[in-house]
Amino acid sequence: MSKANEIYYTAGLPVPETPEAGAEPSFWKQTHIVGKALPRVDAYERVSGSAVFPSDIKIPNMLYGAILRCPYPSATVTSVDTSQAQDMKGVQAIITGSSPEAANLKWKYRNFETSLFDTHVRFEGEEVAAVAADSFYEAWDAVRAIKVDYEVHSFVVDHDKALDKTAHKVHDGGNLISEDTYERGDVKKGFSEADTVLEHRYETQAELHTPLELHGCVTNWDGDRLTIWESSQGVYAVQSKVAEVLNMPLSKVRVVGHYMGGGFGSKLRPGKYTIISALLAKKCGKPVKTLLTREETYLCVGNRPSNTMELKAGVKKDGTLTALEFQCIGPSGAYPAGGSQLVDWLIRDLYKCENVRTISKDVYINAGTARPFRAPGHPQGSWALEQMMDCLAEEIGMDPVELRLKNIPDFSQAREGNPPYTTTGLRQCIEKGAEAFGWEQAREEVREHNRKGSHIKRGVGMGACLWVVGGGGPPSTVVIKMFRDGSVNLNMGASDIGTGTKTVMAFVAAEELGIDPGLIQIEHADTGTTQYATPSGGSKTVPTEAPTVRNAAIAIKRQILEMAAEDLEIPVEDLRYQGRKIVSKSGPDKSITVTEISGLKKRGVIVGVGYRGPNPENKTVNPFAAQFCEVEVNTRSGEIKILRFLGTNDSGRVMNRLTYDNQVFGGIVMGIGLGLTEFRQLDRKHTGKLCNKNWHDYKLPTALDVPEDMTSIPIELDDPEANNTGAKGLGEPVTIPTAAAIANAIYMATGIRFTKAPINPIAICRMISGGKE
């Protein structure tokens, strides 16, 4: 072997045994690449600016699209006059609801069907017309020149009032979308057995995704074939929706998504802007780039719904939970989207309790439609449950950590048949987190500090969680090619949404094949060139794609062994794959380097195809987490400073320690936003309009809001039942308990229980002075 080829192999590291055809691969007991803190395989492209995002795409003769949106939360479009706009400089095309291209097109929000340009507009920002022009500025000048007559209606933007008899009806059938009830045991009996019963009302505000890269796409037609470069979490999801709306074969729609600048759930599906851009491109016969403005993204591409929750809980003196009763109401927005979906899941399943009843109501309001937002429903439910657990602990004189440890289940209580967890690391997350944080000592030190009488108070708090999914599952297909020099091409359709998916998959292939991950070239997500994958979201990407990659690598190894057996003239069963060499199990005298195998040299490339197998039957795969924090509160100014944060996570095997910790810290920062800074402010009384649709008025956490002291502790439990890599989801659980942990810490600092999020300096000062939240 030449020196050039020598570098392709990881010298001296053992390679996993190759299973026989049809047999399941053995669980990795020890890894040598997977789990290490190694740089991302695409790090240079990302930091150098050479990575091409959809917003970077430029095509010759490209036009720019802009969309006219309704300025009212509820209105009827009575006329649209485009005559002035059509004559403006640079304008190439205008489409409205009456245009032939758009007149018969339908758009579905779940089971609700509406027009692409509906004359009955139900939220500020709903689409009315669109323009394509030679430049971005000319397109927007033309949009502003379109004259629209509206019949303005009354509105409802407060979900708590959406079901009032006098409330404006967003749709003719009323504002109640659904009411979901769950019950087990006997809640009334459970409360009668409790020594302490508490009941509180909790509220969280709507959050907006506001990712760094704007939503949008570039669309281009070549005859009857459409190519879309979209900032998306799943290229195949975009392909499917566009083909459905435009009544096209899937084979005629190609979606490319090499890189994307954040989505957090809001880019799991395309928007109407994708269809509008395609129509404009078709009408003009030129490519069209349609990128939404920052202000538009605040209005029309999703949110984490606000929720109002009431939680009643009963506990015995020994810490046994006897009953939980929960009610919540949340808005989908103007169209169905699951405004209260999964908000009650933690109440159902996190802590052991025989008697549970939940009622969740989803309602319409005149505001932008919700979309999934990192761990849908769970942070809101955690805000209520984790604060209630602390309240119960205080009432019975028990440490909050001890109360949680008293009520840990080893099976899913909310699922039919109560299937056991493949692994449940909740206890370890809490115990090891408390130990590393110094929980008992910190509580004592904080009490001592607060006794000194300073206006600067301190507190520590914690929270725990699980994520309802996180085990991934089929379908997934991955193709790996090994070239005659031993280098590898990895082909998969999963989008890397910034979490390091490409890096993890390269590591999995490198681990199984015994090669340097730097010599693996990965294809970017593209429906025209890569394999089918579901969208990246819900913490399912790694546990879905990693086992598939491993299966594809194993398929390569089997072929290599068969070819080597022919060259060495010994049975394939007597051979072992060892990275750069194939050796006989009988002795080292018979061996051959991979690049010298005649079959590989002759064919030039071999192909391995991997498929994702089913999840284990009658078992539940869930990740678990716990978080601990210390805060400082200035009782004069209301300023809140987070001093330190620690997160423990049972997400199975750590696939890459750098990207793992990135996820933990990023999730905590996002949870700080829910707890302390972020909220969508709608004018509920006068206009119904959004008041803070920019980064100045919508307060995202900054570096000044984040503690310097942040610690990530993986709880790595072997989980061979979950999948053949042992990985579980991480991206969602890392943000679920954060806000509640902060609220619990603020209570310890101030002695005041804040049940409305976010907790800001104004709320602190108001409550300290004896007012209400």
mmCIF file of all heavy atoms in Angstrom, residues 42 88 121 132 217 219 258 267 401 419 422 431 458 547 581 587 595 611 630 665 688-689 697 751:
data_model
loop_
_atom_site.group_PDB
_atom_site.id
_atom_site.type_symbol
_atom_site.label_atom_id
_atom_site.label_comp_id
_atom_site.label_asym_id
_atom_site.label_seq_id
_atom_site.Cartn_x
_atom_site.Cartn_y
_atom_site.Cartn_z
ATOM 1 N N ASP A 42 -17.414 19.556 8.620
ATOM 2 C CA ASP A 42 -17.643 20.705 7.739
ATOM 3 C C ASP A 42 -17.314 22.023 8.446
ATOM 4 O O ASP A 42 -17.839 23.078 8.074
ATOM 5 C CB ASP A 42 -19.087 20.715 7.229
ATOM 6 C CG ASP A 42 -20.106 20.753 8.357
ATOM 7 O OD1 ASP A 42 -19.709 20.669 9.536
ATOM 8 O OD2 ASP A 42 -21.314 20.856 8.058
ATOM 9 N N MET A 88 -44.579 49.911 -12.641
ATOM 10 C CA MET A 88 -43.380 50.403 -11.953
ATOM 11 C C MET A 88 -42.121 49.762 -12.509
ATOM 12 O O MET A 88 -42.144 48.635 -13.051
ATOM 13 C CB MET A 88 -43.492 50.146 -10.445
ATOM 14 C CG MET A 88 -44.609 50.962 -9.785
ATOM 15 S SD MET A 88 -44.766 50.678 -8.012
ATOM 16 C CE MET A 88 -43.249 51.410 -7.410
ATOM 17 N N VAL A 121 -59.095 37.030 5.425
ATOM 18 C CA VAL A 121 -57.798 36.927 6.104
ATOM 19 C C VAL A 121 -58.021 36.914 7.611
ATOM 20 O O VAL A 121 -58.811 37.698 8.143
ATOM 21 C CB VAL A 121 -56.853 38.079 5.693
ATOM 22 C CG1 VAL A 121 -56.325 37.848 4.295
ATOM 23 C CG2 VAL A 121 -57.550 39.429 5.763
ATOM 24 N N ALA A 132 -42.894 39.863 -8.434
ATOM 25 C CA ALA A 132 -41.518 39.529 -8.810
ATOM 26 C C ALA A 132 -40.945 40.710 -9.581
ATOM 27 O O ALA A 132 -41.591 41.240 -10.492
ATOM 28 C CB ALA A 132 -41.477 38.273 -9.675
ATOM 29 N N CYS A 217 -36.701 30.840 -0.145
ATOM 30 C CA CYS A 217 -36.234 29.874 -1.134
ATOM 31 C C CYS A 217 -35.879 30.582 -2.443
ATOM 32 O O CYS A 217 -36.186 31.754 -2.647
ATOM 33 C CB CYS A 217 -37.325 28.832 -1.404
ATOM 34 S SG CYS A 217 -38.854 29.544 -2.079
ATOM 35 N N THR A 219 -36.494 29.537 -6.506
ATOM 36 C CA THR A 219 -37.215 28.584 -7.356
ATOM 37 C C THR A 219 -36.848 28.801 -8.818
ATOM 38 O O THR A 219 -36.696 29.945 -9.270
ATOM 39 C CB THR A 219 -38.739 28.745 -7.183
ATOM 40 O OG1 THR A 219 -39.091 30.134 -7.342
ATOM 41 C CG2 THR A 219 -39.177 28.288 -5.808
ATOM 42 N N HIS A 258 -28.411 22.367 1.111
ATOM 43 C CA HIS A 258 -27.062 22.021 1.544
ATOM 44 C C HIS A 258 -26.778 22.448 2.977
ATOM 45 O O HIS A 258 -26.263 21.677 3.782
ATOM 46 C CB HIS A 258 -26.040 22.641 0.592
ATOM 47 C CG HIS A 258 -26.041 22.002 -0.760
ATOM 48 N ND1 HIS A 258 -25.186 22.388 -1.770
ATOM 49 C CD2 HIS A 258 -26.780 20.994 -1.275
ATOM 50 C CE1 HIS A 258 -25.400 21.645 -2.851
ATOM 51 N NE2 HIS A 258 -26.368 20.805 -2.564
ATOM 52 N N LYS A 267 -38.999 25.243 10.329
ATOM 53 C CA LYS A 267 -38.693 24.903 8.936
ATOM 54 C C LYS A 267 -38.854 23.414 8.672
ATOM 55 O O LYS A 267 -38.248 22.862 7.764
ATOM 56 C CB LYS A 267 -37.280 25.368 8.590
ATOM 57 C CG LYS A 267 -37.111 26.883 8.640
ATOM 58 C CD LYS A 267 -35.685 27.325 8.354
ATOM 59 C CE LYS A 267 -35.532 28.841 8.463
ATOM 60 N NZ LYS A 267 -34.136 29.279 8.272
ATOM 61 N N VAL A 401 -35.053 17.616 45.549
ATOM 62 C CA VAL A 401 -34.391 16.483 44.903
ATOM 63 C C VAL A 401 -34.951 15.173 45.446
ATOM 64 O O VAL A 401 -35.262 14.241 44.695
ATOM 65 C CB VAL A 401 -32.862 16.557 45.117
ATOM 66 C CG1 VAL A 401 -32.209 15.222 44.778
ATOM 67 C CG2 VAL A 401 -32.261 17.663 44.262
ATOM 68 N N PRO A 419 -45.544 0.153 28.655
ATOM 69 C CA PRO A 419 -44.284 -0.462 28.225
ATOM 70 C C PRO A 419 -43.099 0.067 29.016
ATOM 71 O O PRO A 419 -43.032 1.271 29.312
ATOM 72 C CB PRO A 419 -44.183 -0.056 26.752
ATOM 73 C CG PRO A 419 -44.988 1.201 26.650
ATOM 74 C CD PRO A 419 -46.120 1.033 27.621
ATOM 75 N N THR A 422 -36.439 1.354 27.599
ATOM 76 C CA THR A 422 -35.224 0.583 27.311
ATOM 77 C C THR A 422 -34.139 0.925 28.322
ATOM 78 O O THR A 422 -33.414 0.051 28.793
ATOM 79 C CB THR A 422 -34.724 0.873 25.886
ATOM 80 O OG1 THR A 422 -34.568 2.300 25.725
ATOM 81 C CG2 THR A 422 -35.703 0.352 24.848
ATOM 82 N N GLU A 431 -29.488 12.471 40.578
ATOM 83 C CA GLU A 431 -28.502 12.206 41.625
ATOM 84 C C GLU A 431 -27.117 12.747 41.257
ATOM 85 O O GLU A 431 -26.479 13.441 42.063
ATOM 86 C CB GLU A 431 -28.424 10.703 41.896
ATOM 87 C CG GLU A 431 -29.650 10.146 42.609
ATOM 88 C CD GLU A 431 -29.560 8.655 42.853
ATOM 89 O OE1 GLU A 431 -28.795 7.971 42.116
ATOM 90 O OE2 GLU A 431 -30.260 8.154 43.748
ATOM 91 N N ARG A 458 -29.839 35.441 46.656
ATOM 92 C CA ARG A 458 -29.460 34.311 45.813
ATOM 93 C C ARG A 458 -30.402 33.130 46.036
ATOM 94 O O ARG A 458 -31.027 33.007 47.089
ATOM 95 C CB ARG A 458 -28.018 33.889 46.094
ATOM 96 C CG ARG A 458 -26.983 34.850 45.546
ATOM 97 C CD ARG A 458 -25.581 34.308 45.678
ATOM 98 N NE ARG A 458 -24.599 35.217 45.082
ATOM 99 C CZ ARG A 458 -23.296 34.990 45.044
ATOM 100 N NH1 ARG A 458 -22.802 33.869 45.593
ATOM 101 N NH2 ARG A 458 -22.474 35.857 44.473
ATOM 102 N N PRO A 547 -28.026 4.489 13.129
ATOM 103 C CA PRO A 547 -28.095 3.041 12.894
ATOM 104 C C PRO A 547 -28.151 2.689 11.410
ATOM 105 O O PRO A 547 -27.631 1.639 10.995
ATOM 106 C CB PRO A 547 -29.386 2.621 13.603
ATOM 107 C CG PRO A 547 -29.689 3.720 14.547
ATOM 108 C CD PRO A 547 -29.167 4.972 13.915
ATOM 109 N N LYS A 581 -6.757 -3.736 6.744
ATOM 110 C CA LYS A 581 -6.413 -5.098 6.381
ATOM 111 C C LYS A 581 -7.564 -6.055 6.625
ATOM 112 O O LYS A 581 -8.397 -5.841 7.509
ATOM 113 C CB LYS A 581 -5.200 -5.587 7.189
ATOM 114 C CG LYS A 581 -3.857 -5.144 6.677
ATOM 115 C CD LYS A 581 -2.752 -5.856 7.444
ATOM 116 C CE LYS A 581 -1.383 -5.480 6.863
ATOM 117 N NZ LYS A 581 -0.294 -6.210 7.550
ATOM 118 N N GLY A 587 -4.654 -17.121 11.678
ATOM 119 C CA GLY A 587 -3.296 -16.655 11.871
ATOM 120 C C GLY A 587 -3.005 -15.461 10.996
ATOM 121 O O GLY A 587 -3.666 -15.252 9.966
ATOM 122 N N THR A 595 -7.068 -2.029 -0.156
ATOM 123 C CA THR A 595 -6.847 -1.422 -1.465
ATOM 124 C C THR A 595 -6.174 -2.367 -2.464
ATOM 125 O O THR A 595 -6.070 -2.032 -3.644
ATOM 126 C CB THR A 595 -5.989 -0.148 -1.316
ATOM 127 O OG1 THR A 595 -4.798 -0.464 -0.597
ATOM 128 C CG2 THR A 595 -6.772 0.938 -0.598
ATOM 129 N N TYR A 611 -30.693 0.363 5.816
ATOM 130 C CA TYR A 611 -32.068 0.764 6.130
ATOM 131 C C TYR A 611 -32.238 0.800 7.644
ATOM 132 O O TYR A 611 -31.596 0.045 8.375
ATOM 133 C CB TYR A 611 -33.079 -0.210 5.527
ATOM 134 C CG TYR A 611 -32.997 -0.330 4.028
ATOM 135 C CD1 TYR A 611 -32.295 -1.378 3.435
ATOM 136 C CD2 TYR A 611 -33.616 0.599 3.208
ATOM 137 C CE1 TYR A 611 -32.205 -1.489 2.057
ATOM 138 C CE2 TYR A 611 -33.538 0.494 1.822
ATOM 139 C CZ TYR A 611 -32.831 -0.549 1.255
ATOM 140 O OH TYR A 611 -32.744 -0.646 -0.105
ATOM 141 N N GLU A 630 -28.071 28.407 39.671
ATOM 142 C CA GLU A 630 -27.981 29.367 40.772
ATOM 143 C C GLU A 630 -28.184 30.759 40.196
ATOM 144 O O GLU A 630 -27.596 31.103 39.161
ATOM 145 C CB GLU A 630 -26.626 29.276 41.477
ATOM 146 C CG GLU A 630 -26.497 30.237 42.660
ATOM 147 C CD GLU A 630 -25.231 30.030 43.469
ATOM 148 O OE1 GLU A 630 -24.439 29.110 43.125
ATOM 149 O OE2 GLU A 630 -25.015 30.781 44.451
ATOM 150 N N PHE A 665 -25.756 23.383 25.883
ATOM 151 C CA PHE A 665 -25.648 24.811 26.199
ATOM 152 C C PHE A 665 -26.660 25.628 25.388
ATOM 153 O O PHE A 665 -27.267 26.569 25.916
ATOM 154 C CB PHE A 665 -24.224 25.299 25.935
ATOM 155 C CG PHE A 665 -23.181 24.595 26.775
ATOM 156 C CD1 PHE A 665 -21.907 24.380 26.294
ATOM 157 C CD2 PHE A 665 -23.485 24.146 28.051
ATOM 158 C CE1 PHE A 665 -20.948 23.729 27.060
ATOM 159 C CE2 PHE A 665 -22.546 23.499 28.833
ATOM 160 C CZ PHE A 665 -21.265 23.284 28.335
ATOM 161 N N GLY A 688 -55.070 44.379 17.729
ATOM 162 C CA GLY A 688 -54.784 42.958 17.528
ATOM 163 C C GLY A 688 -53.459 42.697 16.839
ATOM 164 O O GLY A 688 -53.137 41.545 16.517
ATOM 165 N N LYS A 689 -52.675 43.745 16.616
ATOM 166 C CA LYS A 689 -51.434 43.616 15.865
ATOM 167 C C LYS A 689 -50.266 43.242 16.774
ATOM 168 O O LYS A 689 -50.295 43.459 17.975
ATOM 169 C CB LYS A 689 -51.132 44.926 15.130
ATOM 170 C CG LYS A 689 -52.130 45.255 14.028
ATOM 171 C CD LYS A 689 -51.957 46.672 13.506
ATOM 172 C CE LYS A 689 -50.668 46.876 12.742
ATOM 173 N NZ LYS A 689 -50.656 46.126 11.476
ATOM 174 N N ASP A 697 -37.114 44.765 19.976
ATOM 175 C CA ASP A 697 -38.241 44.717 20.912
ATOM 176 C C ASP A 697 -38.577 43.301 21.368
ATOM 177 O O ASP A 697 -39.194 43.122 22.419
ATOM 178 C CB ASP A 697 -39.480 45.344 20.266
ATOM 179 C CG ASP A 697 -39.272 46.815 19.954
ATOM 180 O OD1 ASP A 697 -38.604 47.493 20.750
ATOM 181 O OD2 ASP A 697 -39.755 47.278 18.906
ATOM 182 N N GLY A 751 -38.486 34.459 47.891
ATOM 183 C CA GLY A 751 -39.642 34.013 48.662
ATOM 184 C C GLY A 751 -40.949 34.253 47.946
ATOM 185 O O GLY A 751 -42.033 34.092 48.524
#
